[in-house]
C-alpha cells in the first residue's frame, strides 16, 4: 500500500503535540495499548520505540499504555493516536478528542524487580512499590512476565507473600460495610462445574449474614462464577450499584473487575493465564487481596485435592493451607480452610448455561438437581454459617439445609437476580448451543477416573465460556457402572468448527477411565 506523506506536526502552547484520539476496536485483554502510524512526524521526532511505555493525556486524565506501531492508515492515521478499547474507555472522551503522548517514566520499582529476578528477598516497601506500579500499568508485558516467573521460580517465603498481598490491597480501593461480620467463600479452582458459590451466597444471605461475593471470569476454565451468574443477571455493576444491592439484600454475585479491588491482581492474571503459571504465592496473594479489598473478614476456603486437580496430594494441600492461614492471620482475617474431594467435576453441567441450570435446580429442590453439588454447597454454607456466634459448632449444616429446603435460599437468589438485572433464564428450557454429540463408554465396567483437565479442555474447545450455551453435560460419575455404548457425556457447541475441535479432542482422550470397582481412587475429604 502506497502511503501519502504525513504532514509536519505543530506543537501546542505547552510544547506538547496534540493528536486526535481514535478508538481501535481490538480487545487487548486488560492491557492498555496505544497505536501510532510509523510515518507520524511525532513518532520519528520523539524517538518512540515499539513496545515502550507511553503516557497519553486527554480530558484531564492520563493512561499508561504499551506502544504499537502500524503502517496501515485504516488502523490509525498520521495525525491520530489510537487506543485499545479498555484504554480508550478510561479517558472518558469521544473519538477525535485532542490528546498528547509522551514517553513514560520507567517504573520506580524496576530495581526491585531486577533484584527479585536475581533471587533476592524483597522488603515490604519494595513489594508495595511493585504492586503499585503494576496496578498503574507502568510495567510492560515483558516486565510483568519476568515478575511472575521470578516469584514462581524463586518461591517467596511466607512473609514475602504477606508483603505482596498487603501491597496488592493498598494499590486499589477497599470496601467497608460497617458490619462486624462480613463473610465470603472461595475455591482455589481447577474443578469443572463446582458452582457452589452461587448456592452458598443465597443460603448465608437468607440467614442474614453479609456476603459481598465478587468473582472473576474464567481464566483457564470453561466457566467462572461471574460467567455463570451472567446467564441469570447482570454482573458488571458500577461500584455504587454493587454497594446498594449488598446493603439492601445482604449479598451480591458480581464480577469484580469493575470495582478496582486489588487491580494489580487483574493485571497479573492476564499474564499468568498464557504462561499457565499459578504459584502458591501468587494464588494466596490473589485470593486474599481480593477478599480483604471486598471488605470480608471471615472466609471459608475450599481446596479440592485429586489426581487431576490443581492440588494433587494431601501434603501439598496442607502446605498450602498453612500458607493461607499465616497470611490471613497477619491480615486480620478469620479463615477456615476445607480440603475437599477433587477427583472429578462437581455437578452435571460444565459451561455457563449448563452450570446455571444445575444451580437453579438445586435451589428449586428439583428431582434432577445434582446431589454432589447440593451436598458440597450445604457443607460449605454450614461452615460459613458457623462464623455466626449465635450458631453452635456443628449446627451449620442442618441450618443451611433448612434454608435450602424451605425455599428461602431460592427466594433470596431471585431477589439478587432481580436487583442485578434479571435476564429471564428458564432452567427447563436452557438455551444450549445448537450442535450436540455424544461420547460413549468403550467397554463394560465402572467409571474409575474422570480427568478434570481433559473434560475442561473439551468444554473450552466446544466454545465455553465465550459461547454461554456450549460445554459438556456429564451422564456418569465415579464408581457408576457402564456398558459399552452407554453415554458418558454430551458435548454442546454452537459452531461446526468447535464441534470438530471438541470431537477430535474427545476421540483422542475422552477424559474417562473405565475399569474395575477396586480401581476407583481414594477419597480426599475433610467434611
Amino acid at each position: 500500500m502506497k502511503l501519502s506523506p504525513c504532514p509536519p506536526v505543530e506543537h501546542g502552547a505547552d510544547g506538547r503535540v496534540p493528536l486526535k484520539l481514535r478508538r481501535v476496536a481490538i480487545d487487548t485483554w486488560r492491557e492498555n495499548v496505544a497505536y501510532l502510524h510509523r510515518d507520524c512526524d511525532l513518532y520519528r521526532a520523539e524517538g518512540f520505540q515499539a513496545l515502550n511505555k507511553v503516557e497519553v493525556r486527554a480530558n484531564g486524565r492520563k493512561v499508561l499504555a504499551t506502544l504499537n506501531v502500524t503502517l496501515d492508515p485504516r488502523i490509525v492515521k498520521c495525525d491520530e493516536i489510537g487506543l485499545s478499547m479498555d484504554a480508550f474507555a478510561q479517558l472518558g472522551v469521544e473519538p477525535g478528542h485532542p490528546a498528547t503522548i509522551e514517553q513514560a517514566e520507567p517504573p520506580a520499582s524496576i530495581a526491585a524487580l531486577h533484584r527479585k529476578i536475581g533471587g533476592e528477598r524483597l522488603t515490604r516497601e519494595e513489594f508495595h512499590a511493585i504492586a503499585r506500579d503494576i496496578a498503574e500499568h507502568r510495567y510492560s508485558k515483558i516486565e510483568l512476565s519476568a515478575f511472575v516467573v521470578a516469584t514462581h521460580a524463586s518461591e517467596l517465603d511466607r512473609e514475602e507473600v504477606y508483603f505482596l498481598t498487603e501491597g496488592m490491597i493498598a494499590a486499589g480501593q477497599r470496601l467497608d460495610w460497617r458490619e462486624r461480620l462480613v463473610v465470603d467463600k472461595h475455591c482455589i479452582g481447577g474443578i469443572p462445574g463446582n458452582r457452589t458459590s452461587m448456592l452458598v451466597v443465597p443460603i448465608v444471605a437468607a440467614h442474614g449474614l453479609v456476603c459481598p461475593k465478587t468473582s472473576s471470569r474464567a481464566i483457564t476454565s470453561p466457566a467462572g462464577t461471574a460467567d455463570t451468574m451472567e446467564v441469570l443477571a447482570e454482573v458488571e455493576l458500577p461500584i455504587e450499584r454493587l454497594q446498594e444491592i449488598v446493603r439492601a439484600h445482604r449479598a451480591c454475585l458480581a464480577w469484580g473487575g469493575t470495582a478496582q479491588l486489588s487491580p494489580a491482581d487483574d493485571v497479573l492474571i492476564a499474564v499468568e493465564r498464557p504462561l499457565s503459571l499459578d504459584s502458591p504465592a501468587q494464588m494466596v496473594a490473589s485470593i486474599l487481596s481480593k477478599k480483604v479489598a471486598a471488605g470480608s473478614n471471615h472466609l471459608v476456603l475450599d481446596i479440592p485435592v485429586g489426581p487431576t486437580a490443581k492440588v494433587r496430594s494431601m501434603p501439598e494441600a496442607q502446605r498450602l493451607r498453612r500458607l493461607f492461614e499465616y497470611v490471613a492471620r497477619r491480615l486480620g482475617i478469620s479463615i477456615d480452610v476445607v480440603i475437599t474431594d477433587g477427583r472429578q467435576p462437581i455437578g452435571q453441567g460444565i459451561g455457563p448455561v449448563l452450570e446455571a441450570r444445575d444451580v437453579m435446580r438445586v435451589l428449586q429442590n428439583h428431582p434432577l438437581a445434582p446431589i454432589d453439588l447440593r451436598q458440597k454447597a450445604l457443607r460449605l454454607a454450614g461452615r460459613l454459617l458457623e462464623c455466626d456466634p449465635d450458631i453452635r459448632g456443628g449446627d451449620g449444616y442442618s441450618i443451611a439445609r433448612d434454608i435450602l429446603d424451605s425455599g428461602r435460599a431460592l427466594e433470596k437468589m431471585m431477589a439478587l437476580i432481580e436487583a442485578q438485572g434479571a435476564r429471564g433464564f428458564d432452567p427447563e428450557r436452557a438455551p444450549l448451543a445448537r450442535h450436540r454429540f455424544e461420547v460413549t463408554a468403550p467397554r463394560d465396567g465402572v467409571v474409575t477416573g474422570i480427568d478434570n483437565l481433559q473434560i475442561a479442555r473439551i468444554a473450552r474447545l466446544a466454545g465455553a465460556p465465550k459461547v454461554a450455551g456450549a460445554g459438556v453435560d456429564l451422564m456418569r460419575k465415579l464408581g457408576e457402572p457402564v456398558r459399552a455404548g452407554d453415554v458418558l457425556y454430551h458435548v454442546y457447541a454452537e459452531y461446526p468448527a468447535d464441534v470438530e475441535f471438541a470431537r477430535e479432542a474427545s476421540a483422542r482422550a475422552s477424559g474417562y477411565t473405565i475399569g474395575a470397582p477396586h480401581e476407583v481412587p481414594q477419597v480426599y475429604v475433610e467434611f
Side-chain angles (χ1 to χ4, degrees):
M1 179 186 298
K2 187 175 181 180
L3 303 175
S4 58
C6 290
V9 296
E10 294 183 9
H11 288 69
D14 60 357
R16 292 177 175 166
V17 178
L19 298 171
K20 298 174 186 173
L21 267 177
R22 182 167 183 170
R23 180 180 179 273
V24 180
I26 297 177
D27 182 358
T28 52
W29 185 244
R30 296 179 185 166
E31 182 183 14
N32 293 337
V33 178
Y35 302 87
L36 276 182
H37 196 285
R38 187 189 66 178
D39 291 331
C40 173
D41 204 25
L42 175 68
Y43 172 66
R44 295 195 303 269
E46 300 293 333
F48 290 109
Q49 291 186 6
L51 301 184
N52 278 3
K53 279 288 183 178
V54 295
E55 186 175 279
V56 181
R57 293 177 178 268
N59 195 33
R61 301 182 187 180
K62 68 178 181 180
V63 164
L64 288 166
T66 302
L67 180 64
N68 280 204
V69 180
T70 179
L71 302 176
D72 192 340
R74 292 172 298 182
I75 297 175
V76 62
K77 296 178 182 176
C78 295
D79 62 346
E80 293 177 325
I81 171 70
L83 287 176
S84 56
M85 295 188 295
D86 284 349
F88 188 90
Q90 291 172 45
L91 292 178
V93 297
E94 295 296 320
H97 194 285
T100 60
I101 179 172
E102 58 188 56
Q103 296 184 44
E105 291 293 323
S109 64
I110 200 70
L113 171 62
H114 290 159
R115 289 185 57 221
K116 179 44 68 179
I117 292 171
E120 296 185 41
R121 188 179 186 278
L122 301 186
T123 65
R124 168 189 268 121
E125 292 73 22
E126 288 171 321
F127 274 112
H128 277 239
I130 288 173
R132 186 166 54 250
D133 282 339
I134 290 173
E136 293 175 357
H137 297 276
R138 294 190 176 277
Y139 276 22
S140 68
K141 274 285 176 72
I142 295 170
E143 290 161 341
L144 288 168
S145 300
F147 177 72
V148 169
V149 172
T151 54
H152 180 79
S154 57
E155 190 170 336
L156 306 184
D157 64 42
R158 64 181 192 171
E159 193 169 42
E160 284 186 295
V161 179
Y162 166 62
F163 293 156
L164 175 60
T165 309
E166 192 182 51
M168 289 167 70
I169 295 166
Q173 66 174 322
R174 186 168 175 177
L175 302 179
D176 182 1
W177 302 105
R178 304 194 182 281
E179 295 268 356
R180 179 181 56 84
L181 186 62
V182 181
V183 303
D184 204 346
K185 169 264 163 193
H186 191 87
C187 176
I188 68 166
I191 305 298
N194 202 29
R195 207 48 60 215
T196 54
S197 291
M198 292 177 64
L199 297 165
V200 171
V201 170
I203 289 172
V204 300
H207 177 74
L209 298 183
V210 178
C211 188
K213 181 65 177 172
T214 58
S215 304
S216 62
R217 294 190 181 277
I219 301 171
T220 57
S221 68
T225 297
D227 302 299
T228 306
M229 185 63 184
E230 195 168 39
V231 173
L232 308 176
E234 298 291 336
V235 296
E236 296 191 11
L237 305 173
I239 186 64
E240 298 80 10
R241 181 66 185 138
L242 184 148
Q243 290 173 310
E244 289 174 6
I245 291 169
V246 173
R247 291 192 177 100
H249 299 281
R250 310 292 285 175
C252 68
L253 280 158
W255 178 54
T258 55
Q260 284 294 296
L261 306 175
S262 187
D265 181 51
D266 295 330
V267 177
L268 288 171
I269 283 173
V271 174
E272 291 165 352
R273 181 177 72 164
L275 290 174
S276 297
L277 291 179
D278 196 6
S279 69
Q282 289 288 351
M283 183 191 302
V284 171
S286 171
I287 291 171
L288 292 183
S289 67
K290 278 283 199 290
K291 300 309 169 188
V292 173
S296 301
N297 51 36
H298 285 70
L299 174 66
V300 167
L301 183 74
D302 174 16
I303 301 181
V305 179
T308 57
K310 274 187 182 179
V311 177
R312 306 292 175 90
S313 69
M314 189 60 75
E316 185 183 352
Q318 296 289 7
R319 285 194 297 273
L320 187 59
R321 169 193 235 159
R322 288 192 291 271
L323 182 56
F324 267 108
E325 289 173 341
Y326 171 81
V327 177
R329 184 170 62 252
R330 292 287 300 270
L331 292 169
I333 309 173
S334 173
I335 189 169
D336 180 10
V337 179
V338 185
I339 298 173
T340 61
D341 183 1
R343 297 173 300 160
Q344 62 179 331
I346 300 295
Q348 183 177 333
I350 299 163
V353 166
L354 289 163
E355 294 178 31
R357 177 205 64 189
D358 285 358
V359 166
M360 294 310 296
R361 282 179 172 174
V362 172
L363 288 168
Q364 293 167 349
N365 295 300
H366 193 286
L368 296 179
I371 298 299
D372 58 345
L373 179 62
R374 172 188 161 92
Q375 289 301 108
K376 183 171 183 179
L378 285 175
R379 293 189 182 279
L380 291 170
R383 297 286 278 257
L384 209 49
L385 287 172
E386 289 172 11
C387 295
D388 184 346
D390 293 332
I391 294 180
R392 280 188 315 185
D395 286 351
Y397 175 85
S398 61
I399 293 171
R401 185 187 57 205
D402 290 344
I403 292 171
L404 180 61
D405 290 347
S406 68
R408 289 166 57 203
L410 175 61
E411 182 181 348
K412 177 58 72 174
M413 183 61 150
M414 295 310 295
L416 291 175
I417 289 170
E418 188 64 30
Q420 292 185 202
R423 294 195 159 180
F425 178 76
D426 181 353
E428 300 313 304
R429 284 181 285 276
L432 296 171
R434 290 178 297 169
H435 303 287
R436 187 184 87 167
F437 68 89
E438 299 171 345
V439 175
T440 58
R443 60 191 179 92
D444 295 355
V446 300
V447 178
T448 58
I450 302 178
D451 188 329
N452 289 306
L453 297 173
Q454 181 63 3
I455 294 297
R457 181 170 181 268
I458 292 167
R460 287 184 66 87
L461 288 170
K466 288 187 177 180
V467 178
V472 171
D473 206 12
L474 303 177
M475 298 290 110
R476 294 288 189 275
K477 287 297 190 76
L478 280 177
E480 293 187 12
V482 294
R483 299 185 66 83
D486 283 354
V487 176
L488 299 175
Y489 55 86
H490 301 286
V491 179
Y492 292 90
E494 185 68 19
Y495 304 106
D498 292 346
V499 173
E500 290 311 309
F501 290 144
R503 194 192 303 275
E504 289 172 9
S506 62
R508 287 192 297 269
S510 70
Y512 272 66
T513 304
I514 308 300
H518 69 273
E519 295 173 322
V520 178
Q522 73 176 89
V523 176
Y524 299 93
V525 65
E526 278 201 351
F527 285 133

